[in-house]
Amino acid sequence: MIVSQLLNTSFPTLNFSDKPSFALQLMDDYDVLHLAVLEEEKFVGLVAKDDLIDAIESDMHLSDPNILKRYWIHQDDHFLSALRLIAEHELSLLPVVSAQMELVGVILTKEFLKSISTFLGNDEKGAVIVLETDKRNFSFGELSRLVETNDAYITQLNTYTEASSGLVVITLKINKIEVSAIVATFQRYDYVVRHFYGEEEYANELKENYQHLLSYLNM
């Protein structure tokens, strides 16, 4: 997924000549903490609500370099680059520019989170299993094979290296809800299963037996 697929092209912007008070009102109207600033249709920077409040008190203008932040991304960049900038600078929106530094739109953080959720397959049913292993033992091929031996497949895989232990932490999304057999398979192959989120077969059996018991008592 690239940045151009995430654009909001109709969001309001500010001009160099606008007053900080107008910018603050616009932010309140659209429920954001940042807005892009243009000069002759070219992107020149991003302003934040906290800085604008200080600007009003000190009679500063939007053109002041102490207010303008140079946070932006190109429309052809990968969405992970946008995610890094938004997280690092706590942005409510991120301006998106062309090669000529023309503003082509913005990424709204609230909408972005929804897109990431869809990208990660959160709309699809399935279990999540979190494993840990040594770096030298990490193999996507083996993980996939072990899941497939249980008539399932991996729909999403994410990893990170834990700073405190050096272990690779692996998060798997699987196309099945019942995960008892898959969890047992990983444990047999010496993977540490940190967490899993789904339904195990015995849980379903307990529920079914409970329903039978209720039916018997109601007779």
Side-chain angles (χ1 to χ4, degrees):
M1 186 163 54
I2 61 174
V3 167
S4 61
Q5 296 174 277
L6 303 165
L7 286 180
N8 184 315
T9 57
S10 59
F11 209 75
T13 59
L14 297 168
N15 293 310
F16 236 22
S17 57
D18 288 333
K19 295 181 178 179
S21 58
F22 172 75
L24 286 170
Q25 184 59 56
L26 203 57
M27 288 179 179
D28 287 341
D29 291 344
Y30 285 87
D31 192 26
V32 292
L33 300 177
H34 304 83
L35 282 172
V37 181
L38 306 182
E39 183 181 26
E40 297 180 354
E41 303 304 318
K42 296 286 187 179
F43 172 75
V44 293
L46 185 74
V47 289
K49 189 172 187 177
D50 288 344
D51 293 331
L52 290 174
I53 293 173
D54 294 337
I56 290 178
E57 295 175 354
S58 57
D59 198 30
M60 296 168 67
H61 299 281
L62 297 188
S63 59
D64 193 299
N66 292 319
I67 295 178
L68 284 175
K69 309 297 183 183
R70 300 286 290 177
Y71 303 143
W72 48 267
I73 195 166
H74 285 294
Q75 58 185 339
D76 296 326
D77 286 343
H78 194 269
F79 83 94
L80 289 178
S81 298
L83 180 60
R84 179 182 57 80
L85 282 170
I86 288 172
E88 183 177 343
H89 301 292
E90 299 181 349
L91 303 177
S92 58
L93 62 78
L94 178 63
V96 180
V97 301
S98 66
Q100 293 74 37
M101 291 303 292
E102 296 171 336
L103 187 75
V104 295
V106 299
I107 296 176
L108 293 173
T109 300
K110 291 180 180 179
E111 295 177 358
F112 191 24
L113 290 175
K114 294 177 183 177
S115 298
I116 293 174
S117 178
T118 300
F119 178 81
L120 293 175
N122 287 337
D123 296 336
E124 301 175 5
K125 290 184 178 180
V128 174
I129 301 176
V130 182
L131 310 171
E132 68 176 51
T133 187
D134 293 326
K135 284 184 179 181
R136 64 179 182 275
N137 294 328
F138 172 67
S139 167
F140 174 77
E142 181 178 68
L143 293 173
S144 181
R145 179 179 61 81
L146 294 178
V147 171
E148 289 171 2
T149 59
N150 291 280
D151 296 321
Y153 60 86
I154 297 171
T155 60
Q156 189 69 230
L157 183 147
N158 294 285
T159 66
Y160 72 92
T161 301
E162 192 172 59
S164 59
S165 65
L167 295 171
V168 178
V169 179
I170 309 157
T171 302
L172 303 173
K173 178 76 177 286
I174 297 169
N175 70 319
K176 282 189 173 183
I177 296 295
E178 294 179 342
V179 295
S180 56
I182 297 172
V183 168
T185 299
F186 281 131
Q187 290 172 334
R188 283 200 305 272
Y189 281 81
D190 296 327
Y191 286 92
V192 175
V193 179
R194 286 194 172 188
H195 313 285
F196 60 90
Y197 308 91
E199 295 181 20
E200 294 185 278
E201 288 187 11
Y202 70 78
N204 288 337
E205 292 174 2
L206 286 174
K207 183 178 180 180
E208 185 177 351
N209 291 337
Y210 177 71
Q211 294 298 331
H212 287 322
L213 177 60
L214 288 179
S215 297
Y216 174 78
L217 293 175
N218 290 328
M219 290 178 62

